[in-house]
Amino acid sequence: MTEELTVDEAFKRLLEGYMNSNHRKKADVIQKAYNFALHAHQDELRPSGEPYMAHPVAVATIVSQEMGLGSTSICSALLHDVLENTDYTVDDIENIFGKKIAQIVDGLTKIAGGIFGDKASEQAENFKKLLLTMSEDIRVILIKICDRLDNMRHLDKQQENKRYKIAGETLYIYAPLANRLGLNAIKGELEDLSFKYEHPEDYLAIEKKLAHTREQRETLFSDFTTPIREALDKMGVNYELKARVKSPYSIWNKMQKKHVSFDEIYDILAVRIVFNPQKEEEEVNECFNIYIALCKLYKSHPDRLRDWLSHPKANGYQALHVTLMSNMGQWIEVQIRSKKMDEIAEQGFAAHWKYKTGTDTEKVAEDELNGWLQTIKEILDDPQPDAMDFLDAIKLNLFASEIFVFTPKGDIITMPAGCTALDFAFQIHTFLGTHCIGAKVNHKLVPLSHVLKGGDQVEIITSNSQHVHHEWINFATTAKAKNKIQSLLRKRDRDDARHGEEMLSKWLEQKDLALTTSILDRLTEHRNAKSHNNLLLEIAHGELVLEDNLLDVILYGKDKKASDKAKKQGGWRRFIPFVKDKGRKAKEKALIIVGKDFDKSQTISINEDNINGYIFPECCRPIPGDGILAYVNKHNQIEIHQRSCSEAQRLQSSFGTNIMAAKWDITGHTTFMASIEMRGIDRKGMTKDVATVIYDTFDVNIKSLSINTEDGIFTCQTELLVTNNVVTEKIINQLSAINGMQSVHRY
């Protein structure tokens, strides 16, 4: 909505839109839900100062108009915050609106404690409850995505640290979830909004470049599509041609992954052909007929044909993608799909399949979604998952790209990209996975750790004498395989731990000692074991030999070899900045410890006086000028991460309440480690040219340098001591200008 509307006006628009839809007209119950929620939220305000009820109405509008759901979902959206923000209960909702709406609203309500334990991530708790309820009714997660979209549209009203929390969580969980459910339009908006608030400078820079190149794209689109229009008109196709411009987030993401500039992104423009088939049952054939006509006009790229018609994606997406060479010498992707395919691609089949009578295609979509929900149940079956491990499992199993793998009989099995032969074995049957010893992929013998590719035909080789091994967990990737392996290993470990306890008890009896908790504690600390159970397993497996030299440890707690330094730093490898101080390194100061009264809404300012009080993890090595945020870890110490760091995104999605805003206040006396990787054509003098840029041009110290040449390719990794990222970018630009250099980037 472009103009400001009162809550009543916004609701009237919502109701009008619903009455013009194809749903059964149940305006009375929607009006009833609005009146109830309006009364419940009558004294509440949003951070912007507007009435709180504006939010439920906005969410319900997205549910109705952008996702196409019906009265039950609209009512649930209007009521979704009543349980959390007011004194009303689930029973109250059920008595007034029925069991189904009460169930959905309850699933949308945030919870505290229980599933992971007291010290676990509240965000992971809430997300797990969403998934639990989602397995009963998919509308729970659909409405939650709409709720998140409205919150993202108003994120500028939140404090900076909350913006990072919400944006990071959105990019890590909700945007991939929207994509997995086929909500392409919403997915794109969530990604762009997250990008806008996490990296505002980069977002504005890409927006300006897109605006600057708009006229050039329009000319390219017109010239490229003119022959296509003539061909389609001649064929009598009822069609619409659309220009699809890559989103700012997609462009930035590709720039980061490929280490290229905006000008080197060649697929910013794509063309979409959306047609009305003459006969619905012939829509797939018409897609291929259009494809044949296009290939007569332009040369196609042989490796870039994507057939999502014969094998739709698990989110219901169907289309034919072909990449063609334009007359201007530029590759352009063309997406061919029917109007129905286009609607499913933008709104998602999940919004339609379960609540309407459907065609065979919708039945296939239903089967795909039910399989996806089954994967969720398998992940939730793990009795006590760690919060971060839980979210990682969700990311790995639900949001990964998909590949199609064939059984020896030719049946198609959909698997996540990156899966192994072991995952495939457990996907077929638990017995097959438990007893597998190897696999044949395309008739060639491979180990169980072999990563499968799309189109592989896989045969699993088994032996009745084979059993699950601990190392299997290292290359199992799917939730089903991991859970089965862990379950079997836990049972075996329980038996082994009992055996280890018996061994220790008998040995102690020989020394006239009794097994006590104190003895277990001392031995556990001595071995740096995670728990008593792990210690007993070491004894059972022969890793800890019960000898007399352990008696001092048992009696006096001596001979502790655990690294106290590693414990103090929470397991992180710290990068300590180098401070120029009359040629000497400054002494390391004590880390800052966050107390109970510490205000996490404040912005941390990093300067020379306090810089050694923070932890700079090795995962991203931020330097002045990088966009950063702070995270209060489990030891109440403060870590500084780049906002683009993948680890920071995981922390934002799980422990967002511990995220703080941070900024640099460095005058230039402190030097930081910048890691740069170079790749180019090897030639005589290449190393000299690199050294000249670093030493002579910028007078920068090299901390380390690694050079390798193979088959005419020069690669170099170096660590430089720099003051900020402006200097680093200048060095990168100068190195890029060296003759034969192909790519230079930070890593």
Side-chain angles (χ1 to χ4, degrees), residues 248-324:
Y249 172 76
S250 296
I251 293 172
W252 178 81
N253 196 38
K254 191 165 188 177
M255 289 169 62
Q256 300 301 307
K257 288 184 176 180
K258 302 288 187 180
H259 305 295
V260 295
S261 66
F262 178 89
D263 296 331
E264 294 174 283
I265 305 292
Y266 298 115
D267 60 346
I268 290 178
L269 174 69
V271 174
R272 185 171 295 157
I273 301 174
V274 182
F275 67 93
N276 283 311
Q278 297 178 358
K279 295 180 180 179
E280 187 171 339
E281 61 271 17
E282 292 293 324
E283 61 180 354
V284 171
N285 290 336
E286 287 193 46
C287 284
F288 281 105
N289 289 337
I290 293 172
Y291 162 69
I292 292 170
L294 296 181
C295 291
K296 292 178 180 179
L297 299 173
Y298 299 106
K299 296 291 185 182
S300 64
H301 196 299
D303 297 327
R304 294 188 187 176
L305 176 64
R306 299 290 182 265
D307 177 11
W308 301 111
L309 299 173
S310 306
H311 303 294
K313 292 184 179 181
N315 61 15
Y317 181 84
Q318 279 189 293
L320 190 64
H321 293 194
V322 58
T323 301
L324 305 172

Coordinates of all heavy atoms in Angstrom, one line a residue, residues 248-324:
P248 N 18.8 -7.4 -6.5 CA 20.1 -6.9 -5.9 C 20.8 -8.0 -5.0 O 22.0 -8.1 -5.1 CB 19.6 -5.7 -5.1 CG 18.4 -5.3 -5.8 CD 17.7 -6.5 -6.3
Y249 N 20.0 -8.7 -4.2 CA 20.7 -9.7 -3.4 C 21.3 -10.8 -4.2 O 22.4 -11.2 -3.9 CB 19.6 -10.4 -2.4 CG 20.2 -11.5 -1.7 CD1 21.1 -11.4 -0.6 CD2 20.0 -12.9 -2.1 CE1 21.7 -12.4 0.0 CE2 20.5 -13.9 -1.4 CZ 21.4 -13.7 -0.4 OH 22.0 -14.8 0.3
S250 N 20.6 -11.3 -5.3 CA 21.1 -12.4 -6.1 C 22.4 -11.9 -6.8 O 23.4 -12.7 -6.9 CB 20.1 -12.8 -7.1 OG 19.0 -13.4 -6.5
I251 N 22.4 -10.6 -7.2 CA 23.6 -10.1 -7.9 C 24.8 -10.0 -6.9 O 25.9 -10.5 -7.2 CB 23.3 -8.7 -8.4 CG1 22.3 -8.8 -9.6 CG2 24.6 -8.0 -8.9 CD1 21.8 -7.4 -10.1
W252 N 24.5 -9.5 -5.7 CA 25.6 -9.4 -4.7 C 26.1 -10.7 -4.2 O 27.3 -10.9 -4.1 CB 25.0 -8.6 -3.5 CG 26.0 -8.5 -2.3 CD1 27.0 -7.5 -2.2 CD2 26.0 -9.3 -1.1 NE1 27.6 -7.7 -1.0 CE2 27.1 -8.8 -0.3 CE3 25.3 -10.4 -0.7 CZ2 27.4 -9.3 0.9 CZ3 25.6 -10.9 0.5 CH2 26.6 -10.4 1.3
N253 N 25.2 -11.7 -4.1 CA 25.5 -13.0 -3.7 C 26.5 -13.7 -4.7 O 27.5 -14.3 -4.4 CB 24.3 -13.9 -3.5 CG 24.5 -15.1 -2.7 OD1 25.3 -15.1 -1.7 ND2 23.9 -16.2 -3.0
K254 N 26.1 -13.5 -6.0 CA 27.0 -14.0 -7.0 C 28.3 -13.3 -7.1 O 29.4 -14.0 -7.3 CB 26.3 -13.9 -8.4 CG 27.0 -14.7 -9.5 CD 26.0 -14.9 -10.7 CE 26.6 -15.8 -11.7 NZ 25.7 -16.0 -12.9
M255 N 28.3 -12.0 -6.8 CA 29.6 -11.3 -6.8 C 30.5 -11.8 -5.7 O 31.7 -11.9 -5.9 CB 29.3 -9.8 -6.6 CG 28.7 -9.1 -7.8 SD 28.1 -7.4 -7.4 CE 29.6 -6.6 -6.9
Q256 N 29.9 -12.2 -4.5 CA 30.7 -12.7 -3.4 C 31.2 -14.1 -3.7 O 32.4 -14.4 -3.4 CB 29.8 -12.7 -2.1 CG 29.3 -11.3 -1.7 CD 30.4 -10.3 -1.4 OE1 31.3 -10.6 -0.7 NE2 30.3 -9.2 -2.1
K257 N 30.4 -14.9 -4.2 CA 30.7 -16.3 -4.4 C 31.7 -16.5 -5.6 O 32.7 -17.3 -5.5 CB 29.5 -17.2 -4.7 CG 28.6 -17.4 -3.5 CD 27.5 -18.3 -3.8 CE 26.7 -18.6 -2.5 NZ 25.5 -19.5 -2.8
K258 N 31.5 -15.7 -6.7 CA 32.4 -15.8 -7.8 C 33.6 -14.9 -7.8 O 34.4 -14.9 -8.7 CB 31.5 -15.5 -9.1 CG 30.4 -16.5 -9.3 CD 30.8 -17.9 -9.7 CE 29.6 -18.7 -10.0 NZ 30.0 -20.1 -10.4
H259 N 33.6 -13.9 -6.8 CA 34.6 -12.9 -6.7 C 34.7 -12.1 -8.0 O 35.8 -12.0 -8.6 CB 36.0 -13.6 -6.4 CG 35.9 -14.4 -5.1 ND1 35.7 -13.9 -3.9 CD2 36.0 -15.8 -5.0 CE1 35.7 -14.9 -3.0 NE2 35.9 -16.0 -3.6
V260 N 33.6 -11.6 -8.5 CA 33.6 -10.8 -9.7 C 32.9 -9.5 -9.4 O 32.2 -9.3 -8.4 CB 32.8 -11.5 -10.8 CG1 33.5 -12.8 -11.2 CG2 31.4 -11.9 -10.4
S261 N 33.0 -8.5 -10.3 CA 32.4 -7.2 -10.1 C 31.0 -7.2 -10.8 O 30.6 -8.2 -11.4 CB 33.2 -6.1 -10.8 OG 33.2 -6.4 -12.2
F262 N 30.3 -6.1 -10.6 CA 28.9 -6.0 -11.1 C 29.0 -6.1 -12.6 O 28.1 -6.8 -13.2 CB 28.3 -4.7 -10.7 CG 27.0 -4.4 -11.3 CD1 25.8 -4.8 -10.6 CD2 26.8 -3.8 -12.5 CE1 24.5 -4.5 -11.2 CE2 25.6 -3.5 -13.1 CZ 24.4 -3.9 -12.4
D263 N 30.0 -5.5 -13.3 CA 30.1 -5.6 -14.7 C 30.3 -7.0 -15.3 O 30.2 -7.2 -16.5 CB 31.2 -4.6 -15.2 CG 30.8 -3.2 -14.9 OD1 29.6 -2.8 -14.8 OD2 31.8 -2.4 -14.6
E264 N 30.8 -7.9 -14.4 CA 31.1 -9.2 -14.9 C 29.9 -10.2 -14.6 O 30.1 -11.4 -14.9 CB 32.3 -9.7 -14.1 CG 33.6 -9.0 -14.5 CD 34.8 -9.4 -13.6 OE1 34.9 -9.0 -12.5 OE2 35.6 -10.2 -14.2
I265 N 28.8 -9.7 -14.2 CA 27.6 -10.5 -14.0 C 26.8 -10.5 -15.3 O 26.3 -9.4 -15.7 CB 26.7 -10.0 -12.9 CG1 27.5 -9.9 -11.6 CG2 25.5 -10.9 -12.7 CD1 27.9 -11.3 -11.0
Y266 N 26.8 -11.6 -16.1 CA 26.2 -11.6 -17.4 C 24.8 -12.1 -17.5 O 24.2 -12.0 -18.6 CB 27.1 -12.4 -18.3 CG 28.5 -11.8 -18.5 CD1 29.6 -12.6 -18.0 CD2 28.7 -10.6 -19.0 CE1 30.9 -12.1 -18.1 CE2 30.0 -10.1 -19.1 CZ 31.1 -10.8 -18.6 OH 32.4 -10.3 -18.7
D267 N 24.2 -12.5 -16.4 CA 22.8 -13.0 -16.5 C 21.9 -12.1 -15.7 O 20.9 -12.6 -15.1 CB 22.8 -14.5 -16.0 CG 23.2 -14.6 -14.5 OD1 23.8 -13.6 -14.0 OD2 23.0 -15.6 -13.9
I268 N 22.1 -10.8 -15.7 CA 21.2 -9.9 -14.9 C 19.9 -9.9 -15.6 O 18.8 -9.8 -15.0 CB 21.8 -8.5 -14.9 CG1 23.0 -8.5 -13.9 CG2 20.8 -7.5 -14.4 CD1 23.8 -7.2 -13.9
L269 N 19.8 -10.0 -16.9 CA 18.6 -10.0 -17.7 C 18.2 -11.4 -18.1 O 19.1 -12.1 -18.6 CB 18.7 -9.1 -18.9 CG 17.5 -9.1 -19.9 CD1 16.3 -8.5 -19.2 CD2 17.8 -8.4 -21.2
A270 N 17.0 -11.8 -17.9 CA 16.5 -13.1 -18.4 C 15.1 -12.7 -19.1 O 14.5 -11.7 -18.8 CB 16.3 -14.1 -17.4
V271 N 14.7 -13.6 -20.0 CA 13.4 -13.4 -20.6 C 12.4 -14.6 -20.2 O 12.9 -15.7 -20.2 CB 13.6 -13.4 -22.2 CG1 12.2 -13.4 -22.9 CG2 14.4 -12.2 -22.6
R272 N 11.2 -14.2 -19.9 CA 10.2 -15.2 -19.5 C 9.1 -15.2 -20.5 O 8.5 -14.2 -20.8 CB 9.7 -14.9 -18.1 CG 8.8 -16.0 -17.5 CD 8.5 -15.7 -16.1 NE 9.7 -15.8 -15.3 CZ 10.0 -15.2 -14.1 NH1 9.0 -14.4 -13.6 NH2 11.1 -15.4 -13.5
I273 N 8.8 -16.4 -21.1 CA 7.6 -16.6 -22.0 C 6.5 -17.3 -21.2 O 6.7 -18.5 -20.8 CB 8.0 -17.4 -23.2 CG1 9.1 -16.7 -24.0 CG2 6.8 -17.6 -24.1 CD1 9.7 -17.5 -25.2
V274 N 5.4 -16.6 -21.0 CA 4.3 -17.2 -20.3 C 3.1 -17.3 -21.3 O 2.7 -16.3 -21.8 CB 3.9 -16.3 -19.1 CG1 2.7 -17.0 -18.3 CG2 5.0 -16.1 -18.1
F275 N 2.6 -18.5 -21.5 CA 1.6 -18.7 -22.5 C 0.4 -19.4 -22.0 O 0.4 -20.1 -20.9 CB 2.2 -19.5 -23.7 CG 2.5 -21.0 -23.3 CD1 1.6 -22.0 -23.5 CD2 3.8 -21.3 -22.8 CE1 1.9 -23.3 -23.2 CE2 4.1 -22.6 -22.5 CZ 3.2 -23.6 -22.7
N276 N -0.8 -19.2 -22.6 CA -2.0 -19.9 -22.3 C -2.1 -21.1 -23.3 O -2.2 -20.9 -24.5 CB -3.2 -19.0 -22.5 CG -3.4 -18.1 -21.3 OD1 -3.4 -18.5 -20.2 ND2 -3.6 -16.8 -21.6
P277 N -2.0 -22.3 -22.8 CA -2.0 -23.5 -23.7 C -3.4 -23.6 -24.4 O -4.4 -23.3 -23.8 CB -1.7 -24.7 -22.8 CG -2.2 -24.2 -21.4 CD -1.9 -22.7 -21.4
Q278 N -3.3 -24.1 -25.6 CA -4.6 -24.4 -26.3 C -5.4 -25.5 -25.6 O -6.6 -25.5 -25.5 CB -4.3 -24.7 -27.8 CG -3.7 -23.5 -28.5 CD -3.3 -23.9 -30.0 OE1 -3.5 -25.0 -30.4 NE2 -2.8 -22.9 -30.7
K279 N -4.6 -26.5 -25.2 CA -5.2 -27.6 -24.4 C -4.4 -27.8 -23.2 O -3.1 -27.9 -23.3 CB -5.3 -28.9 -25.2 CG -6.2 -28.8 -26.4 CD -6.2 -30.1 -27.2 CE -7.1 -30.1 -28.4 NZ -7.1 -31.4 -29.1
E280 N -5.0 -27.9 -22.0 CA -4.2 -28.0 -20.7 C -3.3 -29.2 -20.7 O -2.2 -29.2 -20.2 CB -5.1 -28.0 -19.5 CG -4.4 -27.9 -18.2 CD -5.3 -27.7 -17.0 OE1 -6.4 -27.2 -17.2 OE2 -4.9 -28.0 -15.9
E281 N -3.8 -30.3 -21.3 CA -3.0 -31.5 -21.3 C -1.8 -31.5 -22.2 O -1.0 -32.4 -22.2 CB -3.9 -32.8 -21.6 CG -4.6 -32.7 -23.0 CD -5.9 -32.0 -23.0 OE1 -6.2 -31.3 -22.0 OE2 -6.7 -32.2 -23.9
E282 N -1.8 -30.5 -23.1 CA -0.7 -30.3 -24.1 C 0.3 -29.3 -23.7 O 1.1 -28.9 -24.5 CB -1.3 -30.0 -25.5 CG -2.2 -31.1 -26.1 CD -1.3 -32.3 -26.5 OE1 -0.2 -32.1 -26.9 OE2 -1.8 -33.4 -26.3
E283 N 0.2 -28.7 -22.5 CA 1.1 -27.6 -22.1 C 2.5 -27.9 -22.1 O 3.4 -27.1 -22.5 CB 0.7 -27.0 -20.7 CG 0.8 -27.9 -19.6 CD 0.4 -27.3 -18.3 OE1 0.1 -26.1 -18.3 OE2 0.3 -28.0 -17.2
V284 N 2.9 -29.2 -21.7 CA 4.3 -29.6 -21.8 C 4.8 -29.6 -23.2 O 5.9 -29.2 -23.5 CB 4.5 -30.9 -21.1 CG1 5.9 -31.4 -21.3 CG2 4.2 -30.8 -19.6
N285 N 4.0 -30.2 -24.1 CA 4.4 -30.3 -25.5 C 4.5 -28.9 -26.1 O 5.4 -28.7 -26.9 CB 3.3 -31.1 -26.3 CG 3.4 -32.6 -26.0 OD1 4.4 -33.1 -25.5 ND2 2.2 -33.2 -26.2
E286 N 3.7 -28.0 -25.7 CA 3.7 -26.6 -26.2 C 5.0 -25.9 -25.8 O 5.6 -25.1 -26.5 CB 2.5 -25.8 -25.8 CG 1.3 -26.2 -26.6 CD 0.1 -25.2 -26.4 OE1 0.4 -24.0 -26.6 OE2 -1.0 -25.6 -26.2
C287 N 5.5 -26.2 -24.6 CA 6.8 -25.7 -24.1 C 7.9 -26.1 -25.0 O 8.7 -25.3 -25.4 CB 7.0 -26.1 -22.6 SG 6.1 -25.3 -21.4
F288 N 7.9 -27.4 -25.3 CA 9.0 -27.9 -26.2 C 8.9 -27.3 -27.6 O 9.9 -27.1 -28.3 CB 9.0 -29.4 -26.2 CG 9.6 -30.0 -25.0 CD1 8.9 -30.6 -24.0 CD2 11.0 -30.0 -24.8 CE1 9.5 -31.1 -22.8 CE2 11.6 -30.5 -23.7 CZ 10.9 -31.1 -22.7
N289 N 7.6 -27.1 -28.1 CA 7.4 -26.6 -29.4 C 8.0 -25.1 -29.5 O 8.6 -24.7 -30.5 CB 6.0 -26.5 -29.8 CG 5.4 -27.9 -30.1 OD1 6.2 -28.9 -30.4 ND2 4.1 -28.1 -30.0
I290 N 7.8 -24.4 -28.4 CA 8.3 -23.0 -28.3 C 9.9 -23.1 -28.3 O 10.5 -22.3 -28.9 CB 7.8 -22.3 -27.1 CG1 6.2 -22.0 -27.3 CG2 8.5 -21.0 -26.9 CD1 5.6 -21.5 -26.1
Y291 N 10.4 -24.0 -27.5 CA 11.8 -24.2 -27.4 C 12.4 -24.5 -28.8 O 13.5 -23.9 -29.2 CB 12.1 -25.3 -26.5 CG 13.5 -25.9 -26.6 CD1 14.6 -25.2 -26.2 CD2 13.7 -27.2 -27.1 CE1 15.9 -25.7 -26.3 CE2 15.0 -27.7 -27.1 CZ 16.1 -27.0 -26.8 OH 17.4 -27.5 -26.9
I292 N 11.8 -25.3 -29.6 CA 12.3 -25.7 -30.9 C 12.3 -24.4 -31.8 O 13.3 -24.2 -32.5 CB 11.5 -26.8 -31.5 CG1 11.7 -28.1 -30.8 CG2 11.8 -27.0 -33.0 CD1 10.7 -29.2 -31.1
A293 N 11.2 -23.6 -31.7 CA 11.2 -22.4 -32.5 C 12.3 -21.4 -32.1 O 12.9 -20.8 -33.0 CB 9.8 -21.8 -32.3
L294 N 12.6 -21.3 -30.8 CA 13.6 -20.4 -30.4 C 15.0 -20.8 -30.9 O 15.9 -20.0 -31.2 CB 13.7 -20.3 -28.8 CG 12.4 -19.7 -28.2 CD1 12.6 -19.7 -26.6 CD2 12.1 -18.3 -28.7
C295 N 15.2 -22.2 -30.9 CA 16.6 -22.7 -31.3 C 16.8 -22.5 -32.8 O 17.9 -22.5 -33.3 CB 16.7 -24.2 -31.0 SG 16.8 -24.4 -29.2
K296 N 15.7 -22.2 -33.6 CA 15.9 -21.9 -35.0 C 16.3 -20.4 -35.2 O 16.8 -20.1 -36.2 CB 14.5 -22.1 -35.7 CG 14.2 -23.6 -35.8 CD 12.9 -23.8 -36.5 CE 12.5 -25.3 -36.6 NZ 11.2 -25.5 -37.3
L297 N 16.0 -19.6 -34.1 CA 16.4 -18.2 -34.2 C 17.7 -17.9 -33.6 O 18.5 -17.1 -34.2 CB 15.3 -17.4 -33.4 CG 13.9 -17.4 -33.9 CD1 13.0 -16.7 -32.9 CD2 13.7 -16.8 -35.2
Y298 N 18.1 -18.6 -32.6 CA 19.4 -18.3 -31.9 C 20.1 -19.6 -31.5 O 19.4 -20.7 -31.4 CB 19.1 -17.5 -30.6 CG 18.5 -16.2 -30.7 CD1 17.2 -16.0 -30.4 CD2 19.2 -15.1 -31.2 CE1 16.6 -14.7 -30.5 CE2 18.7 -13.9 -31.4 CZ 17.3 -13.7 -31.0 OH 16.8 -12.4 -31.2
K299 N 21.4 -19.6 -31.4 CA 22.2 -20.8 -31.0 C 21.9 -21.0 -29.5 O 22.0 -20.0 -28.7 CB 23.6 -20.6 -31.3 CG 24.0 -20.4 -32.8 CD 23.8 -21.8 -33.5 CE 24.2 -21.6 -34.9 NZ 24.0 -22.9 -35.7
S300 N 21.7 -22.2 -29.1 CA 21.5 -22.5 -27.7 C 22.8 -23.0 -27.1 O 23.6 -23.6 -27.7 CB 20.4 -23.6 -27.5 OG 20.8 -24.8 -28.1
H301 N 22.9 -22.8 -25.8 CA 24.1 -23.3 -25.0 C 23.8 -24.8 -24.6 O 22.8 -25.1 -23.9 CB 24.3 -22.5 -23.7 CG 25.6 -22.7 -23.1 ND1 26.0 -23.9 -22.6 CD2 26.6 -21.8 -22.8 CE1 27.2 -23.7 -22.1 NE2 27.6 -22.5 -22.2
P302 N 24.6 -25.7 -25.1 CA 24.3 -27.1 -24.9 C 24.3 -27.6 -23.4 O 23.6 -28.6 -23.1 CB 25.4 -27.9 -25.7 CG 26.6 -26.9 -25.8 CD 25.9 -25.5 -25.8
D303 N 25.0 -26.9 -22.6 CA 25.1 -27.3 -21.2 C 24.1 -26.6 -20.2 O 24.2 -26.7 -19.0 CB 26.6 -27.1 -20.6 CG 27.6 -27.9 -21.4 OD1 27.2 -29.0 -21.8 OD2 28.7 -27.5 -21.6
R304 N 23.3 -25.7 -20.8 CA 22.4 -24.9 -20.0 C 20.9 -25.1 -20.2 O 20.1 -24.2 -20.0 CB 22.8 -23.4 -20.1 CG 24.2 -23.1 -19.6 CD 24.4 -21.6 -19.6 NE 25.8 -21.2 -19.2 CZ 26.3 -20.0 -19.2 NH1 25.5 -19.0 -19.6 NH2 27.5 -19.8 -18.9
L305 N 20.6 -26.3 -20.7 CA 19.2 -26.6 -20.8 C 18.7 -27.3 -19.5 O 19.3 -28.2 -19.1 CB 19.0 -27.6 -22.0 CG 17.5 -28.1 -22.2 CD1 16.6 -27.0 -22.6 CD2 17.5 -29.2 -23.2
R306 N 17.7 -26.7 -18.9 CA 17.1 -27.2 -17.7 C 15.7 -27.6 -17.9 O 14.8 -26.8 -18.1 CB 17.2 -26.1 -16.6 CG 18.6 -25.6 -16.3 CD 19.4 -26.7 -15.6 NE 20.8 -26.3 -15.2 CZ 21.8 -26.5 -16.0 NH1 21.7 -27.1 -17.1 NH2 23.0 -26.1 -15.6
D307 N 15.5 -28.9 -17.8 CA 14.1 -29.5 -18.0 C 13.4 -29.7 -16.7 O 13.7 -30.7 -16.1 CB 14.2 -30.7 -18.8 CG 12.8 -31.4 -19.0 OD1 11.8 -30.8 -18.7 OD2 12.8 -32.6 -19.5
W308 N 12.6 -28.7 -16.2 CA 11.8 -28.9 -15.0 C 10.4 -29.3 -15.4 O 9.5 -29.1 -14.5 CB 11.9 -27.6 -14.2 CG 13.2 -27.1 -13.8 CD1 13.9 -26.0 -14.2 CD2 14.1 -27.8 -12.9 NE1 15.1 -26.0 -13.6 CE2 15.3 -27.0 -12.8 CE3 14.0 -28.9 -12.1 CZ2 16.3 -27.4 -12.0 CZ3 15.1 -29.3 -11.3 CH2 16.2 -28.5 -11.2
L309 N 10.2 -29.7 -16.6 CA 8.9 -30.2 -17.0 C 8.7 -31.7 -16.7 O 7.7 -32.1 -16.1 CB 8.7 -29.9 -18.5 CG 8.7 -28.5 -18.9 CD1 8.7 -28.4 -20.5 CD2 7.6 -27.6 -18.3
S310 N 9.6 -32.5 -17.2 CA 9.5 -33.9 -17.0 C 9.7 -34.3 -15.5 O 9.1 -35.2 -15.0 CB 10.6 -34.6 -17.8 OG 10.5 -34.3 -19.1
H311 N 10.6 -33.5 -14.8 CA 10.8 -33.8 -13.4 C 10.7 -32.4 -12.6 O 11.7 -31.7 -12.4 CB 12.2 -34.4 -13.2 CG 12.4 -35.7 -13.9 ND1 11.7 -36.8 -13.6 CD2 13.3 -36.0 -14.9 CE1 12.1 -37.8 -14.4 NE2 13.1 -37.3 -15.2
P312 N 9.5 -32.0 -12.2 CA 9.4 -30.7 -11.5 C 10.2 -30.7 -10.2 O 10.5 -31.8 -9.6 CB 7.9 -30.7 -11.2 CG 7.2 -31.7 -12.1 CD 8.2 -32.7 -12.4
K313 N 10.6 -29.5 -9.8 CA 11.2 -29.4 -8.5 C 10.3 -29.8 -7.4 O 9.0 -29.8 -7.6 CB 11.7 -27.9 -8.2 CG 12.8 -27.5 -9.2 CD 13.2 -26.1 -8.8 CE 14.4 -25.6 -9.7 NZ 14.8 -24.2 -9.4
A314 N 10.8 -30.1 -6.2 CA 10.0 -30.6 -5.1 C 9.0 -29.5 -4.6 O 8.0 -29.8 -3.9 CB 10.8 -31.0 -3.9
N315 N 9.3 -28.2 -4.9 CA 8.3 -27.2 -4.5 C 7.2 -27.0 -5.6 O 6.5 -26.0 -5.5 CB 9.0 -25.9 -4.2 CG 9.8 -25.3 -5.4 OD1 9.6 -25.7 -6.6 ND2 10.7 -24.4 -5.2
G316 N 7.2 -27.9 -6.6 CA 6.1 -27.8 -7.6 C 6.5 -27.0 -8.9 O 5.7 -26.9 -9.8
Y317 N 7.7 -26.4 -8.9 CA 8.1 -25.6 -10.0 C 8.3 -26.4 -11.3 O 8.9 -27.4 -11.3 CB 9.5 -24.9 -9.7 CG 10.0 -24.0 -10.7 CD1 9.5 -22.7 -10.8 CD2 10.9 -24.4 -11.7 CE1 10.0 -21.8 -11.8 CE2 11.4 -23.6 -12.7 CZ 10.9 -22.3 -12.7 OH 11.3 -21.4 -13.7
Q318 N 7.7 -25.8 -12.3 CA 7.8 -26.4 -13.7 C 8.1 -25.3 -14.7 O 7.5 -24.3 -14.7 CB 6.5 -27.1 -14.1 CG 6.2 -28.5 -13.5 CD 5.0 -29.2 -14.1 OE1 3.9 -28.7 -13.9 NE2 5.3 -30.2 -14.9
A319 N 9.1 -25.6 -15.5 CA 9.4 -24.7 -16.6 C 10.5 -25.3 -17.4 O 11.1 -26.4 -17.0 CB 9.9 -23.3 -16.0
L320 N 10.8 -24.8 -18.6 CA 11.9 -25.2 -19.4 C 12.8 -24.0 -19.6 O 12.4 -22.9 -20.0 CB 11.3 -25.6 -20.8 CG 12.3 -26.3 -21.7 CD1 12.8 -27.6 -21.1 CD2 11.7 -26.5 -23.1
H321 N 14.1 -24.1 -19.2 CA 15.0 -23.1 -19.2 C 16.0 -23.4 -20.3 O 16.6 -24.5 -20.4 CB 15.8 -22.9 -17.9 CG 15.0 -22.4 -16.8 ND1 15.5 -22.0 -15.6 CD2 13.6 -22.3 -16.6 CE1 14.5 -21.6 -14.8 NE2 13.4 -21.9 -15.4
V322 N 16.3 -22.4 -21.2 CA 17.3 -22.5 -22.3 C 18.1 -21.2 -22.3 O 17.5 -20.2 -22.1 CB 16.6 -22.8 -23.6 CG1 15.6 -21.8 -24.0 CG2 17.6 -23.0 -24.7
T323 N 19.4 -21.3 -22.6 CA 20.2 -20.2 -22.7 C 20.6 -20.0 -24.1 O 21.2 -20.9 -24.8 CB 21.5 -20.3 -21.8 OG1 21.0 -20.5 -20.5 CG2 22.3 -19.1 -21.9
L324 N 20.3 -18.8 -24.7 CA 20.5 -18.5 -26.1 C 21.5 -17.4 -26.3 O 21.6 -16.5 -25.5 CB 19.2 -18.1 -26.8 CG 18.0 -19.1 -26.6 CD1 16.8 -18.5 -27.2 CD2 18.4 -20.4 -27.4

